[in-house]
Amino acid sequence: MKSRGNNPKRRIVPVGYFTPAELDAFAARARYEGSALHKLKPADYGFHPPTNPRPSKSVCDDIRIIKQPEAHDLLRSAFARGMVSACEPEPTSLPKYAWAVDGSREAYEAKLGRGGYHGYRLGKDDRDMRDWVIEEWNARTR
């Protein structure tokens, strides 16, 4: 697995690393929960009490609003294409990261938290990862 960045867990696995059955099983168990820390307007997503995003965090709604159903669809698309990281050694674990690209060619990263995945758009500050995700996405969509 090649890496773009300094986090060894933040690597897209090669094609074939997981079987289609394993990817389907991950997708069936994966849930998108979102995070108020990655929203400019968290109250619009039902987060209470409304909070402001952490300045150091990427926000997913800086270009457009992405509602829960679309975020969940993007997450499922990531699993369908194998755009995930490796898992921790526990047999019940899910990949820590998943990546997807929307119809506007914006790249998103989802990270597994305690209750599910939360996602954010990969922006200019993470250009290498964003470009890699788009490149891999295109290669796996042919």
Side-chain angles (χ1 to χ4, degrees):
M1 292 179 283
K2 61 182 178 177
S3 175
R4 306 256 174 122
N6 59 2
N7 184 343
K9 292 183 180 181
R10 198 172 171 222
R11 296 180 179 158
I12 303 168
V13 298
V15 173
Y17 185 90
F18 292 114
T19 66
E22 288 172 317
L23 292 168
D24 287 346
F26 292 150
R29 291 184 14 240
R31 297 287 171 258
Y32 178 81
E33 68 174 4
S35 169
L37 299 176
H38 294 281
K39 307 287 187 263
L40 288 175
K41 298 178 181 177
D44 290 352
Y45 295 86
F47 291 111
H48 298 287
T51 58
N52 291 324
R54 252 192 257 166
S56 63
K57 298 293 182 181
S58 299
V59 291
C60 68
D61 59 347
D62 60 338
I63 292 179
R64 66 183 184 87
I65 293 173
I66 298 173
K67 296 290 188 178
Q68 184 102 1
E70 181 183 359
H72 191 71
D73 287 347
L74 285 169
L75 184 60
R76 286 197 175 288
S77 295
F79 285 106
R81 287 174 176 79
M83 295 284 295
V84 297
S85 65
C87 296
E88 298 298 319
E90 298 86 37
T92 58
S93 65
L94 289 165
K96 181 76 170 175
Y97 292 94
W99 297 272
V101 177
D102 70 9
S104 300
R105 295 189 39 81
E106 292 293 334
Y108 295 88
E109 179 174 85
K111 185 175 180 183
L112 184 61
R114 291 186 203 140
Y117 286 88
H118 65 275
Y120 36 88
R121 188 177 66 81
L122 294 171
K124 294 176 190 170
D125 59 330
D126 208 355
R127 186 179 315 250
D128 286 345
M129 189 66 186
R130 180 189 67 195
D131 292 347
W132 184 32
V133 167
I134 292 170
E135 177 185 318
E136 282 292 314
W137 185 265
N138 290 338
R140 295 175 189 216
T141 318
R142 295 177 190 164

